[in-house]
Every structure is written in structure tokens, then in C-alpha cells.
Amino acid sequence: MSHFLNQIEMPVRWADIDAYQHVGNQHYFQYMMEARAQFLQKHMGKGIADYLFILVDTRCNYKKSFYYGETVLVRQFLLNLGNSSFELQYLLSTPEEPDIIRAEGYAKMVCVDAKTQRAVRVPETVRQTLLANTMQA
Amino acid sequence: MSHFLNQIEMPVRWADIDAYQHVGNQHYFQYMMEARAQFLQKHMGKGIADYLFILVDTRCNYKKSFYYGETVLVRQFLLNLGNSSFELQYLLSTPEEPDIIRAEGYAKMVCVDAKTQRAVRVPETVRQTLLANTMQA
Amino acid sequence: MSHFLNQIEMPVRWADIDAYQHVGNQHYFQYMMEARAQFLQKHMGKGIADYLFILVDTRCNYKKSFYYGETVLVRQFLLNLGNSSFELQYLLSTPEEPDIIRAEGYAKMVCVDAKTQRAVRVPETVRQTLLANTMQA
Amino acid sequence: MSHFLNQIEMPVRWADIDAYQHVGNQHYFQYMMEARAQFLQKHMGKGIADYLFILVDTRCNYKKSFYYGETVLVRQFLLNLGNSSFELQYLLSTPEEPDIIRAEGYAKMVCVDAKTQRAVRVPETVRQTLLANTMQA
């Protein structure tokens, strides 16, 4: 399963550039986090205040650098929807060359009860939202 | 003198948000730096490789917070053009309410000879560019 | 008035280094913020939950760069204690050469009632703490 | 194979704290990068100017949060030494409770010829340094 969820465009900031004149490796995780935050804020904002979605595992595979002056296109996919967790995939490229993948990322989110802090089943509304907002990539 | 130079829009990133749920104070300097970097890159890119522009003084006056979901509008002005330096002013607001100033900033740049690392007169091409790209605010 | 409050040492992180191979200008504000946060956390932690201390103005004057491998020594001074605000001064150097000032900073904090969000008189306990923890620099 | 290479201690900065009051997930990669940078700078600094070590893959598994006031202990291990690459493992905890692992990380570095930008065999001096500086964990 690999369902397209959403995509965002983020201009590279001068502050993202490191001593090697390209985007520093830790900033790729900011870009992925932003795609996640925007999706959660837009689509899951209401009726899920009792739940938290916590990042437990994340990965980035670097293929080609980003430079100042470029814009990062982040496409987010649902890779797997489990009982109390879901897995996301990220493809990072540019709007000009969306199919030249500069980096590929991964994140695993666990759904937690805000009161007990224990992992619980991803609620139905979220399951439906995740699936409703997806289309075959 | 207060001449408008350029303006940029920067979406607030989730990574800019601090423990008080608003944009952390140090990120305002990223926003101002970005307006500066984009202007320098666009308008001063050629024929000035022998010079460096170094930040020697910067300031931010905070009036009202920025939050996640907002976009920062940064307007940059030339405040003063000296012999070997120039001073810039920044007004930070949002595209929706450009006249409600959330923060006001300042930066003083010194022009340095790339070889000798000594302060030198701002070259004519840069002086003309700074003035040509300005209009009364 | 310029009373010494506290000092901290912060190793420069690789992530602080920018495209010019030295510490990026916005990170100096992290270093100053850290001296402030450690002082507030240590000396003002109790009995002042009803108050917030908000940064309203900050400045940095750059004299000499910091590089990777160095440690930043931040010394914080009370510059002025007003009715609802206080002003702080920062001297940034290194433990090896504490008197060679690489940067000088400034911050103005306003005391705010946590409920009403209005500026109020800095409470007596904080006034005493600020003065008790100071000595002539 | 899992050989201990080095360890560093990094105080959590206020700027590392996110809206959930704990260290934001992307900063863990700063901590790991720092252990890597310090090891490379200290042990591999000379005679390898013709080579670059490039991060191609990195991962972090989050178990328990870090908070402001804590210090992060990063221990770095050599996991595998290949022909043109090597793999590193990271255990993140605190000096007070070194065996309570808060996060576990991974990084794969590729050795590249600085001129041709092509992957080349990790040079003998680096192989010896990596192995000489290791001991069974």
C-alpha cells in the first residue's frame, strides 16, 4: 500500500545551508515534519483532542543535495495503517523536477491516549480521514 | 531616508515554534536574514565577487507573536547608505494584515574586501543597485 | 549599573556553522537566551508562577567570529531594573580568552501578569533575586 | 560487530525544546552528527583531505523524551566497515542513567574522492583509525 496523502512546497532558507554549501542533513526532517504537521492540522484537527500522534521512528535516505535558491517539494504517502500506529513515506524533490528524487524518508507514528499516555487503536475518524485523503500514487 | 528594497513571504515552520507555542525569538533573525539573502542574491550577484557584506549589528523589537499556520511578510528598507556600510530596516507582519507590525528589525552591513578582509567603500555598482531598487516607502 | 548575574559555557555545535564556516548570526541569540533561561530556571523558579518574563527587544553587536571546535562563554549582566521591566547585557567570548569580546548583546524583558497578560511591576522576590545574585562586574 | 568509538555530552538547549516541552525530533540528528563530527575532526583530521565522508542514510528510533535541564550522552559505535562505506550506531541516554536508552540511531557514511566525487575504498589510514579507536562495547 502506498497512498498519496498530501504535498507541500518549502523554499530552502539560508539558515538551512551548512558549511558544505548545501542543506544540512537534519533539516530534511524539518521538511518531512512540516508535511506531517500540515496534514494533521488540516485534516485531523477536530474531534481528536483526546489523542496524540507520537513519532517513534524516522529515517532519511539521501540521494542528491538541495541548494540555496531551490524549493523542496515534499510528497507524503500512507505506507501502512496498523492497529495503534501508521507508517508514512516521503519523497523529496523539486517542483521543476518532481520525479528526480533527492531524498526518501520514513516515519512511524503511534496513537496515544492523551490521558493515560498509552498506545490505543487509531480512532475511526482518523482511519477514515487517512484513507479518504488518499489516492493511489 | 527609508527606501523600500524588497519583500518576502515565509510560512512559519513547525520547527520555528517554541515551548510557548509561538515563534521563538531567534527565528525572527532567520526571517530578516532571508530577505537580505534573497535581495543580495538577486540584485548583487554579479561583478561583486571581490566584496563581502558582513553583518556587524542587528536588532529586533518584538510587538506581537507569530503562530503556526501563519505566513511572515518581511519588508526590507534601506535606512542609510554610508561610505563602507549600509543600514537596513525590517518590518514584519502578515500578508493579511500588512500594517499590523509584529516586529521591527535592524541590521548594519559592512562592505569588506574579500582578499584583505578590510572595510572598503561600498562599490558603485552596489550603491546604484541599492538605490535603483528602492522607492519611497 | 552593570551587575554580573551568571555565566555559561556552550560548545559550538556543528549545526551552528553556516556556509561561511563560522557560527551563523542567529545562533548568538540562542547563546544569550540560554544564559537567560538557566538563570531564570535556577534562581526564579519558585513563587513566580503568576508572572511571565517576555523578551521585547534584543540586539547583538558582532566583533569577531566563533568557529567549530570553540566554546562560547556567555556572561550576563543586569544593566537596568525598571518598574515593570529589566535590561540585560551579554558579553560573548571564550573561556581561554575571556577578555577578547567576540560579541556584545542586549535584551529587555517585560514582566507580565500570566492571567491578564498586562505589564506589571517586577515582584519583590524577583527584584531581590536579581540584585542578590549580582556583584559589581 | 559493534565497536565503541567515542562519546560526547551535550546539554539540551532551550532552543531544542518544541511546543510539546521536550526536545524536538530533528534535534536528535544534531546530537548524533556532533558525535560524528567530533570523532572525524579529532581522529581523522590529517592526511585525508582528498576524501569526503558523506551521509547517505540515517535513522532514529525514539523511546523516551529529553527535557530542558538534561544533558544528552551520545555513544557512537562502528557497526560495519565495508569497502567504500561504514555504518555507525548511536545510543542516546543521560550521564546519570547511561543504560536507560532514550533513543537509538543509525548512520551510513560513504567515502568519496574529493576530486571525482565518486565512491572509493575507505583509505587504509581511516580503516586503521576506525579500528584502533574501537573497543568491544
Side-chain angles (χ1 to χ4, degrees):
Chain A
M1 181 170 71
S2 181
H3 293 289
F4 177 71
L5 288 179
N6 69 323
Q7 69 178 47
I8 62 164
E9 295 187 8
M10 297 191 79
V12 170
R13 292 183 186 171
W14 178 252
D16 298 344
I17 301 299
D18 72 7
Y20 295 116
Q21 323 288 330
H22 58 214
V23 171
N25 75 73
Q26 83 273 23
H27 296 291
Y28 289 63
F29 292 95
Q30 273 195 24
Y31 303 153
M32 296 192 264
M33 180 165 61
E34 192 64 27
R36 206 156 60 232
Q38 287 194 16
F39 182 83
L40 290 170
Q41 172 129 331
K42 187 175 180 186
H43 296 291
M44 294 183 175
K46 288 161 191 166
I48 57 160
D50 299 340
Y51 301 95
L52 294 173
F53 300 96
I54 292 177
L55 180 71
V56 293
D57 196 11
T58 192
R59 183 165 197 159
C60 186
N61 193 263
Y62 304 90
K63 299 170 194 301
K64 200 170 175 293
S65 298
F66 287 104
Y67 297 93
Y68 187 64
E70 294 188 315
T71 290
V72 181
L73 171 67
V74 185
R75 283 175 291 176
Q76 186 174 230
F77 301 84
L78 179 66
L79 211 59
N80 186 45
L81 175 52
N83 185 37
S84 61
S85 67
F86 52 93
E87 293 167 279
L88 302 163
Q89 188 194 18
Y90 300 88
L91 296 181
L92 279 67
S93 59
T94 61
E96 293 78 18
E97 301 177 317
D99 295 332
I100 297 182
I101 306 305
R102 307 267 186 110
E104 188 185 334
Y106 167 87
K108 182 175 183 178
M109 309 298 289
V110 165
C111 182
V112 164
D113 182 299
K115 282 184 196 158
T116 65
Q117 295 284 326
R118 292 202 172 190
V120 292
R121 182 175 161 82
V122 176
E124 280 313 310
T125 52
V126 173
R127 304 183 88 85
Q128 285 166 21
T129 305
L130 275 172
L131 296 169
N133 283 283
T134 59
M135 54 195 92
Q136 291 293 343
Chain B
M1 182 170 70
S2 180
H3 294 288
F4 176 71
L5 287 180
N6 70 322
Q7 68 178 49
I8 62 163
E9 295 188 8
M10 296 192 79
V12 170
R13 293 183 185 173
W14 177 252
D16 298 342
I17 302 298
D18 73 6
Y20 295 115
Q21 323 286 330
H22 58 213
V23 171
N25 74 74
Q26 83 273 25
H27 296 292
Y28 289 63
F29 292 94
Q30 274 195 25
Y31 303 154
M32 296 191 267
M33 180 165 60
E34 192 65 27
R36 207 157 57 231
Q38 286 194 18
F39 182 83
L40 290 170
Q41 172 129 332
K42 188 176 180 185
H43 296 292
M44 294 183 177
K46 288 161 191 166
I48 57 160
D50 299 341
Y51 302 94
L52 293 172
F53 300 96
I54 293 177
L55 180 70
V56 293
D57 196 12
T58 192
R59 183 166 197 158
C60 186
N61 192 262
Y62 304 90
K63 299 169 194 299
K64 199 169 176 291
S65 297
F66 287 103
Y67 297 93
Y68 187 65
E70 292 188 317
T71 289
V72 181
L73 172 67
V74 184
R75 284 176 290 177
Q76 185 175 230
F77 301 84
L78 180 65
L79 210 58
N80 186 44
L81 176 52
N83 184 37
S84 63
S85 67
F86 52 94
E87 294 167 277
L88 303 163
Q89 187 194 17
Y90 300 88
L91 296 181
L92 279 67
S93 59
T94 61
E96 294 78 19
E97 301 175 318
D99 295 331
I100 297 180
I101 305 305
R102 308 267 185 110
E104 188 185 333
Y106 166 87
K108 182 175 183 178
M109 309 298 288
V110 166
C111 181
V112 164
D113 181 299
K115 282 184 196 157
T116 65
Q117 295 284 325
R118 293 203 171 189
V120 292
R121 181 175 162 83
V122 177
E124 281 314 309
T125 52
V126 173
R127 303 183 89 87
Q128 286 166 20
T129 306
L130 275 171
L131 296 170
N133 283 281
T134 59
M135 55 196 91
Q136 292 293 343
Chain C
M1 182 170 70
S2 180
H3 294 290
F4 177 71
L5 288 179
N6 69 323
Q7 68 179 48
I8 62 164
E9 295 188 8
M10 298 191 77
V12 169
R13 292 183 185 173
W14 178 251
D16 298 344
I17 302 299
D18 73 7
Y20 295 114
Q21 324 286 329
H22 58 212
V23 170
N25 75 73
Q26 82 272 24
H27 296 292
Y28 289 64
F29 292 94
Q30 274 196 23
Y31 303 154
M32 296 192 264
M33 180 166 61
E34 192 64 27
R36 206 157 58 231
Q38 286 193 18
F39 181 83
L40 290 170
Q41 173 130 328
K42 188 175 179 187
H43 296 291
M44 295 182 174
K46 289 160 190 166
I48 57 160
D50 299 341
Y51 302 94
L52 293 173
F53 300 96
I54 292 177
L55 180 71
V56 293
D57 196 11
T58 192
R59 183 166 197 159
C60 186
N61 192 263
Y62 304 90
K63 298 170 194 302
K64 199 169 176 292
S65 297
F66 287 104
Y67 297 93
Y68 187 64
E70 293 189 314
T71 290
V72 181
L73 171 67
V74 185
R75 283 175 291 176
Q76 186 175 228
F77 301 84
L78 180 65
L79 210 59
N80 187 44
L81 175 53
N83 183 38
S84 62
S85 68
F86 52 93
E87 293 167 278
L88 302 163
Q89 187 194 17
Y90 300 88
L91 295 181
L92 279 67
S93 59
T94 61
E96 294 78 19
E97 301 177 316
D99 296 331
I100 298 180
I101 306 305
R102 307 266 186 110
E104 188 185 333
Y106 166 86
K108 182 176 184 178
M109 309 297 290
V110 166
C111 182
V112 163
D113 182 299
K115 282 184 196 158
T116 66
Q117 294 284 325
R118 292 204 172 187
V120 292
R121 182 176 161 82
V122 177
E124 280 313 310
T125 52
V126 173
R127 302 183 90 85
Q128 286 165 21
T129 304
L130 275 171
L131 295 171
N133 284 282
T134 59
M135 54 196 92
Q136 293 293 343
Chain D
M1 182 171 70
S2 181
H3 293 289
F4 176 71
L5 288 179
N6 70 322
Q7 68 178 47
I8 62 163
E9 295 188 9
M10 296 191 79
V12 170
R13 293 183 186 172
W14 177 252
D16 298 342
I17 302 298
D18 72 7
Y20 295 115
Q21 323 286 331
H22 59 214
V23 171
N25 75 73
Q26 83 272 25
H27 295 291
Y28 289 63
F29 292 95
Q30 273 195 24
Y31 303 153
M32 296 191 267
M33 181 166 59
E34 192 64 28
R36 206 157 58 232
Q38 287 194 17
F39 182 83
L40 290 170
Q41 173 129 332
K42 187 175 179 185
H43 296 291
M44 294 184 176
K46 289 161 190 165
I48 57 161
D50 299 340
Y51 302 94
L52 294 172
F53 300 95
I54 293 177
L55 180 71
V56 293
D57 196 11
T58 190
R59 183 166 197 159
C60 186
N61 192 262
Y62 304 91
K63 299 170 194 300
K64 199 169 176 293
S65 297
F66 287 103
Y67 297 94
Y68 187 64
E70 293 188 316
T71 290
V72 181
L73 171 67
V74 184
R75 284 176 289 176
Q76 185 174 231
F77 301 85
L78 179 66
L79 210 59
N80 186 46
L81 175 52
N83 185 39
S84 62
S85 67
F86 52 93
E87 293 167 277
L88 302 163
Q89 188 194 17
Y90 300 88
L91 296 182
L92 279 66
S93 59
T94 61
E96 294 78 19
E97 300 177 317
D99 295 331
I100 298 181
I101 306 305
R102 307 268 185 109
E104 189 185 333
Y106 166 87
K108 182 175 183 178
M109 309 297 288
V110 165
C111 182
V112 164
D113 181 300
K115 281 185 197 157
T116 65
Q117 295 283 326
R118 293 203 171 189
V120 292
R121 180 175 163 81
V122 177
E124 280 314 310
T125 52
V126 173
R127 305 183 88 86
Q128 285 166 20
T129 305
L130 276 171
L131 295 170
N133 284 282
T134 60
M135 55 197 92
Q136 293 292 343

